[in-house]
């Protein structure tokens, strides 16, 4: 029997453990869980190094959006909080580094704009968190056949969003071309979800210099926030920096035997 290796990435402990336990009961599914973007990356790295790559990631659309004091599903190692913090950034990073891995975004509510962004980032599906287990398994098996899965109610809205995104692409590309090579590097780090400290370490720059570059990027792109800059960059086809280059460390994922 061919087994499907699934990684649940969600920082809500009860939901992550319940979903992982339900999936683990399937005879052809092996499942692990990670409680943050950085933890998920470490799990993927270790699995690839050991020759047992994951097939599908189930990623919380609101990953990193916890209220202060809420305990994540899996402890995160110190010093890694400058890594990926939201679900769509994680999708983009995984798509760039391990394109064979399929990602499905799990959402609390239907949102055509965010679903379109997820598809543009490389997701193969957008599924409601309260869907049935049989529906989720259908999606998991479907994306492994290169299918794209969206709730029917979202199709019209997502198509409108994607059409509008194409109209804005040319203008966005022109704005990105106005950046210097270093500013484009910084922008790619921003697309990957890296914070100022992580960008400084990656590019061997001081945090002050990185701050200046980020301000210049926002100014040249004509936006007022990192999120807006990332959205514009994605429309222009700017991909995230390679998150695997120079990374190390262990995996903090939980195997299915511990999710009980």
């Amino acid at each position: 029997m061919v087994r499907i290796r699934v990684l649940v990435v969600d920082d809500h402990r009860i939901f992550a453990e319940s979903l992982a336990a339900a999936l683990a009961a399937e005879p052809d599914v092996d499942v692990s869980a990670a409680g943050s973007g950085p933890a998920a990356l470490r799990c993927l790295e270790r699995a690839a190094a050991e020759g047992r790559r994951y097939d599908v990631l189930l990623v919380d659309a609101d990953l990193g959006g916890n209220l202060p004091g809420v305990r994540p599903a899996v402890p995160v190692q110190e010093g890694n909080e400058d890594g990926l913090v939201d679900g769509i950034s994680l999708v983009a990073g995984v798509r760039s580094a391990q394109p064979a891995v399929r990602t499905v975004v799990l959402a609390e509510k239907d949102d055509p704009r965010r679903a379109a962004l997820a598809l543009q980032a490389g997701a193969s599906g957008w599924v409601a968190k309260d869907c049935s287990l049989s529906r989720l398994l259908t999606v998991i098996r479907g994306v492994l056949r290169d299918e794209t899965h969206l709730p029917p109610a979202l199709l019209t809205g997502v198509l409108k969003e994607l059409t509008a995104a194409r109209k804005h692409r040319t203008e966005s590309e022109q704005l990105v071309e106005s950046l210097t090579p270093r500013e484009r590097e910084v922008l790619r780090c921003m697309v990957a979800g890296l914070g100022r400290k992580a960008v400084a370490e990656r590019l061997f720059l001081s945090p002050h210099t990185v701050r200046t570059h980020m301000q210049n990027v926002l100014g040249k792109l004509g936006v007022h926030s990192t999120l807006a800059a990332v959205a514009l960059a994605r429309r222009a086809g700017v991909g995230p920096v390679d998150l695997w280059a120079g990374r190390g460390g262990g995996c903090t994922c939980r195997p299915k035997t511990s999710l009980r």
Side-chain angles (χ1 to χ4, degrees):
M1 178 187 298
V2 177
R3 301 188 68 80
I4 303 172
R5 301 202 69 232
V6 177
L7 179 62
V8 178
V9 188
D10 198 300
D11 48 14
H12 293 78
R13 182 184 184 89
I14 294 176
F15 177 82
E17 293 190 348
S18 298
L19 177 57
L23 290 172
E26 295 297 313
D28 63 339
V29 177
D30 288 327
V31 61
S32 300
S36 70
L41 290 176
R42 293 192 294 274
C43 290
L44 289 169
E45 289 173 2
R46 181 168 181 175
E50 296 176 352
R52 50 181 187 86
R53 294 178 182 272
Y54 285 97
D55 300 304
V56 178
L57 261 67
L58 302 179
V59 181
D60 178 18
D62 298 315
L63 188 68
N66 276 4
L67 295 173
V70 177
R71 183 183 178 189
V74 178
V76 180
Q77 292 183 2
E78 293 292 332
N80 285 314
E81 292 300 336
D82 256 338
L84 295 172
V85 294
D86 70 274
I88 294 177
S89 289
L90 177 59
V91 169
V94 171
R95 181 64 174 175
S96 175
Q98 293 196 18
V101 178
R102 300 292 181 260
T103 55
V104 175
V105 177
L106 305 178
E108 292 281 359
K109 61 180 180 179
D110 287 343
D111 185 331
R113 185 185 66 82
R114 295 187 69 198
L117 286 174
L119 293 181
Q120 289 174 312
S124 297
W126 177 281
V127 182
K129 278 192 169 184
D130 60 357
C131 75
S132 66
L133 181 61
S134 62
R135 168 61 181 163
L136 182 57
L137 288 167
T138 296
V139 172
I140 289 172
R141 296 186 172 107
V143 299
L144 289 175
R145 296 191 296 268
D146 290 327
E147 298 173 0
T148 299
H149 284 258
L150 285 171
L154 274 184
L155 287 176
T156 300
V158 168
L159 287 175
K160 288 181 179 178
E161 292 288 340
L162 293 176
T163 299
R166 281 195 294 271
K167 292 180 179 179
H168 292 299
R169 185 179 179 94
T170 300
E171 179 182 351
S172 300
E173 288 174 343
Q174 292 174 346
L175 290 171
V176 170
E177 287 175 359
S178 71
L179 303 179
T180 66
R182 177 62 84 183
E183 289 166 351
R184 291 180 194 178
E185 281 187 285
V186 170
L187 179 59
R188 290 185 64 213
C189 290
M190 294 163 67
V191 172
L194 300 180
R196 189 187 309 163
K197 180 180 176 182
V199 175
E201 293 175 351
R202 188 171 202 89
L203 300 182
F204 303 101
L205 300 172
S206 71
H208 176 75
T209 299
V210 170
R211 179 182 181 183
T212 299
H213 283 312
M214 286 183 166
Q215 290 174 338
N216 290 341
V217 167
L218 296 183
K220 290 183 179 181
L221 297 184
V223 296
H224 302 288
S225 70
T226 296
L227 288 177
V230 168
L232 187 150
R234 285 176 175 152
R235 288 199 299 269
V238 176
V241 70
D242 183 359
L243 294 164
W244 264 259
R247 288 178 56 88
C251 174
T252 59
C253 62
R254 290 185 175 183
K256 69 176 183 179
T257 53
S258 65
L259 292 167
R260 298 178 186 271

